[in-house]
Amino acid sequence: MTEFFQSLGMSYDWAWGVATVCGILLIALPLMLAVAMIIYADRKIWAAMALRRGPNVVGPFGLLQSFADGLKVFLQETIIPSGANRGLFLIAPIITFTVALMAWAVIPFNSGAVLADINVGLLYILAISSLGVYGVILSGWSSNSKYPFFSALRASAQMISYEVSIGFILIGVVLFADSFNMNEIVKAQQGHGLGFVNAFGFNLLLFPLAVMFLISSLAETARAPFDLTEAESELVAGYQTEYSSMSFALFWLGEYANVLLMCTLNAVLFWGGWLPPVDWAPLYAVPGIIWLFAKILFFFFVFSWVKATVPRYRYDQLMRLGWKVFLPISLIWVFLISGYLMLTRYS
Amino acid sequence: MIQLFAFYLFATIVIASAAMVIFARNPVHSVMWLILAFFNAAGLMLLAGAEFIAMLLIIVYVGAVAVLFLFVVMMLDIDFAELRAGFVRYLPLGALVAVILAAELVFALGAWSAGGIDLAARAAPATPDKSNIQQIGELLYTRYIFLFEAAGIVLLVAMIGAIVLTHRTRGGVRPQKIADQVRRRPQDATRLVDPGVGQGMEL
């Protein structure tokens, strides 16, 4: 895009700046639209699984429901509890929302269609997702209220625990792809599985990692069955209890943007990203972005499906799964994969 | 031009937020300023071309260490008046530490500019075509492999030590045994009986 703006007669610096801003807008604005639609889709899927109709009043098939909700929230009054720590109380949702948007900078939407093609892309995503915990922990603390605080403690412990195993899982992917660059990781998956499937997930060594990553990403985004941070039967609404109006909406948007990000990571890291599912020439005629969106939507359906059907974990079960099951298995898998690669690729 | 601007921006924020860590009254605010300092230090690392270190700085310090700080600080019941009361008493000690640190900095700078022991030339894989991660990996897993493994063992010992120190077995709790639950079959827990009239049955 920089070349295009340069051809309009700008100097390189300006062209780069304008191109980057355009790139950010090109990602952030459709993402917001996608979040609105995905909330609608989420509610429709739960409704279908519970044999209800779901939102069906605002707009055709209820399609405009999210926008109506957004407008309602926008018009509400922002209430700041008198005991709250004002500054942090207002910053917390902004952190959540910003962090949810930041990670999208390194997601490849097509061959070369990535905002920041950096060679530490995967580490960047880990770094950004480790920031997400601050929005939660700060909102819980600054609300100066019992339940949000409990929820914040739970959430931060949960996010840190699962980040550890996510890190080890990602090392497996990096070892196979031989790069931290997201685009390289996608390209390494071409014809990887069984010689013709464009996915790491079809590699027998990586399939268990793919499953663990899917479950860990549910825990990382605090989705059901790991949504203990917002367990309404114990904690009212968790760390969002004291929030209203736009500050609540920012949490909401950030949460769903994170869910979409995790779906995208599942698609990009294990299931071929923008590559078509099978390494067959005619399929490459379809633009890569469509394949990527199809995969993201599939994983989002899985997320909703799990939310609609799986009961919530207890907290000790959650911790047990993270520390006593995923962590040892992923650690052993790092050894297995490195050993396998030493034998086959590097000997 | 933009590098220069970015450098001064990051450097100013690092120093300002580091100062705020000390001056902030509320310890939670202090930790938040510390996080901002870490973050901008990572920005400086990026400018120096050490993107791997920058990312690790954020993952390790911001993502893990600062969260633990925040945890501890949030749990503390802090009396601000008492905190401020100690300020004058500890001022001489603090000043001494500051003077020592400043002197060491000056010495280090002097020694470096005098070009004494040439630490920088010891092991520098000057291969600009390779990425950061590959360069560090090549050094760490060949030249410094024993130091690296020794560091790993020290950390392992520390971890085991922490677990041993804090682990306690409590009596009177009934922990969930997942394996037992999974292994349990209907016939272990239920039985079908057909008692005759008036005979009753043993429970």
Side-chain angles (χ1 to χ4, degrees), chain A residues 119 134 138 153 180 314 320, chain B residues 51 62 66 71 133 176 178:
Chain A
N119 57 16
Y134 284 107
L138 281 182
L153 292 183
F180 275 94
R314 230 173 36 222
R320 181 187 164 273
Chain B
E51 66 266 16
V62 180
F71 255 125
I133 302 169
Q176 189 178 18
I178 305 275

Side-chain angles (χ1 to χ4, degrees), chain B residues 22-167:
Chain B
I22 306 165
F23 291 125
R25 286 275 165 80
N26 191 327
V28 173
H29 291 181
S30 283
V31 178
M32 293 319 291
W33 286 113
L34 188 65
I35 292 163
L36 191 63
F38 282 148
F39 212 69
N40 284 281
L44 285 177
M45 295 284 186
L46 273 185
L47 283 182
E51 66 266 16
F52 181 61
I53 307 280
M55 291 304 150
L56 279 198
L57 188 68
I58 294 182
I59 293 172
V60 175
Y61 282 90
V62 180
V65 175
V67 174
L68 290 184
F69 280 2
L70 208 55
F71 255 125
V72 173
V73 162
M74 275 160 55
M75 303 284 191
L76 291 178
D77 185 23
I78 291 154
D79 187 0
F80 295 109
E82 197 181 316
L83 262 183
R84 258 169 281 151
F87 183 73
V88 181
R89 218 179 72 198
Y90 292 117
L91 192 61
L93 191 66
L96 185 68
V97 173
V99 166
I100 291 173
L101 274 181
E104 280 183 340
L105 270 180
V106 170
F107 271 125
L109 204 64
W112 181 72
S113 56
I117 35 174
D118 208 357
L119 280 174
R122 252 171 129 187
T127 42
D129 53 317
K130 280 186 181 162
S131 77
N132 250 274
I133 302 169
Q134 276 170 314
Q135 290 187 13
I136 289 178
E138 273 171 17
L139 267 187
L140 217 54
Y141 289 105
T142 54
R143 196 180 177 114
Y144 296 118
I145 180 71
F146 291 114
L147 287 175
F148 179 70
E149 288 184 343
I153 289 172
V154 169
L155 287 175
L156 184 68
V157 170
M159 192 174 82
I160 293 173
I163 293 171
V164 168
L165 283 178
T166 52
H167 188 264

Side-chain angles (χ1 to χ4, degrees), chain A:
Chain A
M1 218 189 307
T2 312
E3 286 82 35
F4 170 73
F5 284 108
Q6 265 180 309
S7 71
L8 293 181
M10 291 180 186
S11 73
Y12 178 78
D13 289 347
W14 277 104
W16 182 86
V18 174
T20 309
V21 170
C22 287
I24 292 171
L25 290 180
L26 265 178
I27 292 174
L29 295 181
L31 180 64
M32 286 297 93
L33 192 67
V35 164
M37 294 324 290
I38 221 93
I39 291 172
Y40 165 78
D42 215 5
R43 295 173 65 175
K44 272 290 191 194
I45 293 169
W46 304 334
M49 289 191 188
L51 299 181
R52 291 181 285 114
R53 281 179 191 278
N56 64 348
V57 175
V58 191
F61 309 106
L63 274 170
L64 300 178
Q65 182 67 47
S66 299
F67 300 99
D69 289 345
L71 191 67
K72 182 201 79 176
V73 159
F74 191 68
L75 294 174
Q76 279 174 339
E77 181 193 354
T78 308
I79 298 168
I80 301 174
S82 55
N85 193 315
R86 230 184 136 79
L88 291 180
F89 185 82
L90 290 176
I91 288 176
I94 298 176
I95 292 179
T96 306
F97 182 69
T98 318
V99 162
L101 289 186
M102 270 164 82
W104 287 87
V106 294
I107 299 290
F109 292 97
N110 203 339
S111 176
V114 48
L115 181 63
D117 197 14
I118 55 178
N119 57 16
V120 284
L122 207 52
L123 284 177
Y124 173 81
I125 286 189
L126 268 183
I128 295 302
S129 71
S130 66
L131 287 180
V133 68
Y134 284 107
V136 175
I137 199 170
L138 281 182
S139 62
W141 180 78
S142 63
S143 297
N144 200 5
S145 168
K146 215 175 284 169
Y147 294 125
F149 189 58
F150 281 146
S151 161
L153 292 183
R154 277 186 183 187
S156 37
Q158 176 178 344
M159 282 179 173
I160 294 172
S161 315
Y162 279 85
E163 234 153 54
V164 179
S165 51
I166 283 186
F168 281 123
I169 291 167
L170 295 187
I171 284 179
V173 176
V174 168
L175 282 172
F176 260 101
D178 205 15
S179 173
F180 275 94
N181 183 309
M182 300 293 277
N183 235 331
E184 297 296 322
I185 290 173
V186 173
K187 280 177 192 156
Q189 298 182 45
Q190 189 165 5
H192 184 85
L194 311 174
F196 64 96
V197 187
N198 291 335
F200 273 156
F202 276 84
N203 183 325
L204 273 184
L205 264 177
L206 285 169
F207 180 72
L209 289 186
V211 174
M212 286 201 296
F213 188 72
L214 182 63
I215 300 173
S216 298
S217 52
L218 285 172
E220 183 73 8
T221 49
R223 288 278 292 193
F226 307 113
D227 57 344
L228 285 135
T229 56
E230 312 161 28
E232 57 284 306
S233 52
E234 322 160 20
L235 294 176
V236 193
Y239 55 89
Q240 305 165 350
T241 307
E242 304 292 341
Y243 283 86
S244 58
S245 180
M246 275 316 277
S247 46
F248 172 72
L250 285 181
F251 271 127
W252 208 32
L253 292 173
E255 196 179 302
Y256 272 90
N258 258 332
V259 169
L260 272 184
L261 178 75
M262 277 300 173
C263 295
T264 314
L265 282 183
N266 269 298
V268 165
L269 295 175
F270 288 101
W271 304 101
W274 40 263
L275 291 168
V278 180
D279 196 16
W280 184 48
L283 288 179
Y284 286 93
V286 179
I289 196 159
I290 290 180
W291 290 119
L292 181 66
F293 282 177
K295 288 169 188 173
I296 295 173
L297 291 180
F298 172 75
F299 279 106
F300 186 76
F301 177 75
V302 173
F303 270 49
S304 306
W305 184 8
V306 168
K307 180 156 187 164
T309 48
V310 183
R312 184 179 292 136
Y313 265 52
R314 230 173 36 222
Y315 198 68
D316 59 317
Q317 292 171 328
L318 173 82
M319 284 294 146
R320 181 187 164 273
L321 186 69
W323 288 107
K324 291 187 178 172
V325 180
F326 282 179
L327 186 61
I329 293 181
S330 54
L331 203 52
I332 290 169
W333 235 261
V334 171
F335 279 99
L336 265 182
I337 288 178
S338 351
Y340 173 77
L341 288 179
M342 279 308 283
L343 272 179
T344 56
R345 196 186 287 176
Y346 297 109
S347 63

